[in-house]
Amino acid sequence: MNPFKKNTQGFTMLEIVIVIILMGIIGVAAVPSISMIHKQEVKKLAQEMCLDLTSQRMKAMTTGMKHRIRLIEDTGMYHDYELLFLEDDTVSPEALTTQELKSHSKNIHVTMERLDKALNPTPVPVTQAQFDSYGFLTARAESEANFTEGYALQIVIQYDQVKAKIQFNCTTGNYNIEYIN
């Protein structure tokens, strides 16, 4: 064995540190921010809900049938919603026909509130909104037996700290989305 021969096996500490630093830089650059993903999901759902509300209102006006949007409860929170229509008022609410079920992340929480005309400025939490053949809104909470007229819907979509607040004017069909971080 030669005492002057250099051992060529393994890596030096400097080489290992450089590789770890490079991997960290690449990892930070490659992995998108979690809050950015949440913002994108909330933005997508807010736009989708506005389009669905507009669509349900227009379908009610063109077909003469009532069209609804109903939040679906899962473990005490609302994440998903479905689009429904009712062919005539003589049919029981259980006979509603589901057009489409919209499922989303279980981490997203959706609330819907009816804004009543004049006398009651306080939003009333609701789980269903219905448009009639004139495009007018009625909405109800699970605890209410009947639908009550309202002039607007306020919908809040929240995913962790990211929020979107939708104001849907049911008289005109116009909506406004405000994003809150």
Side-chain angles (χ1 to χ4, degrees), residues 125-143:
V126 295
T127 56
Q128 294 185 54
Q130 173 176 277
F131 296 99
D132 66 14
S133 60
Y134 298 105
F136 296 135
L137 168 80
T138 55
R140 75 177 180 98
E142 286 296 322
S143 60

Side-chain angles (χ1 to χ4, degrees), residues 42 46 155-158 162-166 177-180:
V42 166
I155 300 168
V156 176
I157 302 166
Q158 185 167 354
V162 180
K163 250 187 205 181
K165 188 177 188 181
I166 302 167
I177 304 172
E178 178 185 351
Y179 298 101
I180 306 161

Side-chain angles (χ1 to χ4, degrees), residues 51-119:
L51 291 174
D52 285 336
L53 284 165
T54 302
S55 171
Q56 289 296 84
R57 183 175 179 270
M58 293 305 295
K59 287 177 185 175
M61 292 169 61
T62 56
T63 65
M65 295 186 293
K66 293 182 179 179
H67 281 69
R68 291 183 188 172
I69 183 168
R70 178 170 54 193
L71 296 179
I72 300 171
E73 184 179 5
D74 180 20
T75 62
M77 295 178 70
Y78 296 96
H79 314 282
D80 306 330
Y81 64 95
E82 61 185 342
L83 306 175
L84 309 141
F85 68 90
L86 183 62
E87 292 188 31
D88 68 51
D89 289 330
T90 61
V91 179
S92 69
E94 291 78 29
L96 287 167
T97 305
T98 300
Q99 292 175 297
E100 192 172 352
L101 175 65
K102 305 282 186 145
S103 293
H104 300 92
S105 168
K106 298 296 181 201
N107 297 322
I108 293 177
H109 181 70
V110 180
T111 58
M112 190 163 53
E113 299 171 319
R114 175 185 67 229
L115 303 175
D116 296 336
K117 291 186 176 178
L119 298 176

